[in-house]
Amino acid sequence: MEQYRTRSPRYGPRRDRPRPPRQPLPSQAGRGAGGEPVRAARPPGRQRRPAPVRRPAPAPAPAAGGPPNPRLTGLGSGLFCTVVMFLLGTVCSALFGASLTAYGVLFLPVCALTALWVRRGDLMTAPVVMPIAFAVGLLPVADGEGGVGGTLMGLVTALATQAGWLYGGTLIAGLIVIVRRIHLVHRRRTAGAGTRPPA
């Protein structure tokens, strides 16, 4: 009978060693059992807060009972000044006996109102329309002998004698326009510096 060789074991008895836990693959990291992505829970103290929404400040409501503050275009300011001076010239001719002094005095506040009420984009038109309005308003006040020629001669004479009122009203309008222009430029620079990001 054949005898089978028995090999002596080189090593000792096998011991069942616990297997190390299986590491997940990089592609499977952050996924659940079904393969769905799992979001890591954030600590309660570091949760993102929604950014505050900046709303533009509402425009200030006009004060009740305050003075009127219209905004006239360049053409509108010219029409306003011309029509008002013509009406004032008619009133002066009817009430004050064509007094050029009264007409000149009334011309000054009209110049100031025109320069204050013209809108920002047409500031430079206010001093330009003053001489035109002054000349138109002199038509009912100027003394003429009659006819077109007499009226023109009276108008030229009134312009020559009342040039001081004309220069004074134009100067007032020019100063108001310059002050408004400087204030507008200052406001734009302040607004630009406020929105500029810090260096």
Side-chain angles (χ1 to χ4, degrees), residues 13-188:
R14 294 182 63 182
R15 297 178 182 178
D16 295 335
R17 298 179 181 178
R19 295 182 180 181
R22 187 176 182 182
Q23 299 293 336
L25 297 176
S27 60
Q28 297 180 353
R31 297 181 178 273
E36 298 179 355
V38 179
R39 297 181 180 179
R42 295 178 181 175
R46 296 184 180 181
Q47 295 181 356
R48 293 183 180 180
R49 297 180 179 179
V53 180
R54 296 182 178 180
R55 298 180 179 179
N69 190 22
R71 283 292 172 255
L72 303 174
T73 62
L75 180 60
S77 62
L79 292 176
F80 167 77
C81 188
T82 303
V83 171
V84 171
M85 290 311 302
F86 185 81
L87 294 177
L88 290 178
T90 304
V91 172
C92 289
S93 178
L95 299 180
F96 303 105
S99 175
L100 295 176
T101 303
Y103 176 81
V105 171
L106 294 175
F107 176 67
L108 301 181
V110 174
C111 294
L113 290 177
T114 304
L116 287 174
W117 288 350
V118 68
R119 66 182 184 180
R120 299 171 183 174
D122 299 324
L123 285 176
M124 302 309 298
T125 60
V128 177
V129 301
M130 297 305 164
I132 301 174
F134 188 83
V136 173
L138 279 176
L139 290 176
V141 184
D143 293 330
E145 298 178 356
V148 179
T151 302
L152 290 178
M153 287 300 297
L155 179 60
V156 172
T157 303
L159 286 174
T161 56
Q162 304 301 319
W165 297 110
L166 174 60
Y167 294 152
T170 306
L171 180 61
I172 291 175
L175 291 177
I176 294 175
V177 165
I178 291 174
V179 171
R180 288 187 59 190
R181 182 65 181 178
I182 293 175
H183 182 65
L184 177 61
V185 172
H186 179 69
R187 286 183 58 185
R188 288 180 179 177

